[in-house]
Amino acid sequence: MPELPEVETIRLGLQRHLPGLIVKSVSSDAPKSFPNDPELVRQFLIGATITKIDRRAKVLLFELNTDYSLSVHLKMTGQLVFIGRERWGGGHPNDSLLGELPDRSTRATMHFTDESTLFFNDQRKFGWMRLVPTAEISEIDFFRKVGPEPLGTEFSLAAFRKALARRKNTSIKAAILDQTIVAGVGNIYADESLHIAGIHPAMRTGDVPLKKIKLLHAAIPDVMRLSLAHGGSSDKNYVDADGNKGSYLKFARVFRREGQPCPDCGAIIEKIRVAGRGTHYCPACQKLPRAKKVNHT
DNA sequence: CACTTGACCTGTCCGC
DNA sequence: TGCGGACAGGTCAAGT
């Protein structure tokens, strides 16, 4: 899915469009992508005003002027696309999408009283939109366990080292994909940050020297800021709230670049499988000392 | 607990 | 061209 930079890009777009809008109706493929009790929807979503769009890790939170919030996880292929008040003839920048949405991957559609619409599309149906009592969000298991935001101040080197100590026998890639270690890293930015830090993705976490852990700790927020500046990464599905693609992959160092030269040394980038995920790395810049590998594929 | 694998879905691409 | 299998950006549950 969208990883942190993509979800944050979507959040910024939604924050421009949604606050102040009043939900008129919702249609969905419930319960699959919209697992909510119809009575809760009627009471706490229909007629509610959206006040703010927040994000924690890869989860979006639509704050409502009721006791509930709408949490959204896009997983691998989710999209949230807003179509403005086209009936007013206002020339919204993505009016060209009119007629293209809904499409066959549209799982939920939220209509607002001003005739604008938010489409939740998700080809693989892994994502969801879920009403949660706002006061209980911090008690939800995921939010209790999730690690620090890499672009925030709590992501200190000390906190990172302490968290990594819990996963010392797994690969460093599996460790940084673990949302309880650091929030928002997914497959793209795991590969990119490990390349910046010069760490082989399959290296056992406990064997990565402190010097490299420091580089990795700096690389994770750096690569996310760079991606954010380019509107995120669009490989196949990702678009922002206005339907635009992100361009980070044009600048990617290793992700989806197997067979191409490493931007640092020119060696040919390889693709392997680590932690069950397709993994891209430079065999020259990211060496694996003998016996420092983790015993899974 | 720490760790790995498989499941959840649909679509696409690749080799035969 | 058709068909089977592998694979795709994320998390969970369930197994060891």
Side-chain angles (χ1 to χ4, degrees):
Chain A
M1 125 160 170
E3 307 179 28
L4 188 150
E6 291 75 34
V7 180
E8 178 62 12
T9 300
I10 291 167
R11 188 194 71 78
L12 289 166
L14 295 177
Q15 178 63 30
R16 277 198 305 274
H17 297 307
L18 299 185
L21 297 186
I22 300 164
V23 179
K24 188 168 76 177
S25 63
V26 178
S27 57
S28 74
D29 69 347
K32 181 68 214 179
S33 307
F34 196 81
N36 298 294
D37 177 350
E39 184 56 23
L40 283 184
V41 173
R42 200 184 59 73
Q43 260 195 290
F44 297 103
L45 183 60
I46 306 302
T49 301
I50 296 178
T51 53
K52 191 181 176 196
I53 311 297
D54 284 327
R55 178 192 59 75
R56 181 73 173 95
K58 301 171 191 170
V59 180
L60 287 164
L61 291 162
F62 293 21
E63 198 178 279
L64 306 171
N65 69 338
T66 64
D67 289 338
Y68 278 69
S69 294
L70 189 66
S71 63
V72 185
H73 202 308
L74 301 169
K75 294 287 178 87
M76 307 275 252
T77 54
Q79 307 175 329
L80 286 169
V81 179
F82 179 79
I83 305 281
R85 303 167 296 181
E86 66 280 1
R87 292 194 186 171
W88 295 11
H92 188 275
N94 66 358
D95 277 358
S96 62
L97 289 171
L98 283 175
E100 293 178 30
L101 289 173
D103 63 22
R104 63 179 166 167
S105 75
T106 300
R107 310 300 176 200
T109 307
M110 193 176 298
H111 301 282
F112 301 103
T113 54
D114 73 344
E115 305 303 327
S116 60
T117 308
L118 182 69
F119 293 95
F120 174 40
N121 303 322
D122 184 11
Q123 178 187 109
R124 290 172 76 177
K125 301 187 189 180
F126 291 168
W128 41 255
M129 298 182 116
R130 218 171 251 166
L131 279 171
V132 291
T134 304
E136 293 170 24
I137 289 173
S138 59
E139 295 160 34
I140 294 169
D141 225 35
F142 177 84
F143 292 108
R144 292 169 66 105
K145 292 181 182 166
V146 70
E149 288 290 324
L151 299 181
T153 52
E154 345 91 270
F155 184 57
S156 64
L157 177 63
F160 189 45
R161 291 180 67 191
K162 190 174 169 189
L164 287 176
R166 286 191 286 112
R167 304 295 308 271
K168 60 180 188 308
N169 288 317
T170 194
S171 62
I172 186 66
K173 175 157 176 174
I176 62 173
L177 285 172
D178 180 343
Q179 300 297 294
T180 72
I181 304 290
V182 53
V185 177
N187 207 34
I188 299 174
Y189 304 107
D191 285 3
E192 293 291 286
S193 56
L194 288 167
H195 181 264
I196 293 171
I199 303 168
H200 192 294
M203 184 180 257
R204 182 182 168 273
T205 298
D207 291 335
V208 180
L210 177 56
K211 198 171 86 178
K212 300 250 174 174
I213 294 293
K214 286 182 179 171
L215 290 174
L216 182 60
H217 172 257
I220 291 169
D222 280 354
V223 76
M224 288 193 168
R225 268 190 287 265
L226 178 63
S227 179
L228 209 40
H230 293 289
S233 300
S234 289
D235 183 31
K236 295 201 170 84
N237 290 270
Y238 167 74
V239 291
D240 69 15
D242 293 306
N244 302 308
K245 291 172 183 276
S247 62
Y248 172 79
L249 288 188
K250 280 196 267 187
F251 308 91
R253 309 165 67 91
V254 291
F255 190 80
R256 290 284 154 78
R257 292 197 181 278
E258 61 269 33
Q260 298 177 36
C262 168
D264 290 347
C265 77
I268 299 302
I269 293 160
E270 293 180 5
K271 182 174 181 184
I272 57 173
R273 192 152 279 266
V274 177
R277 317 293 303 276
T279 298
H280 315 75
Y281 78 110
C282 168
C285 296
Q286 298 167 270
K287 284 196 193 299
L288 189 60
R290 215 166 272 294
K292 299 281 185 186
K293 188 175 151 186
V294 148
N295 62 350
H296 64 85
T297 48

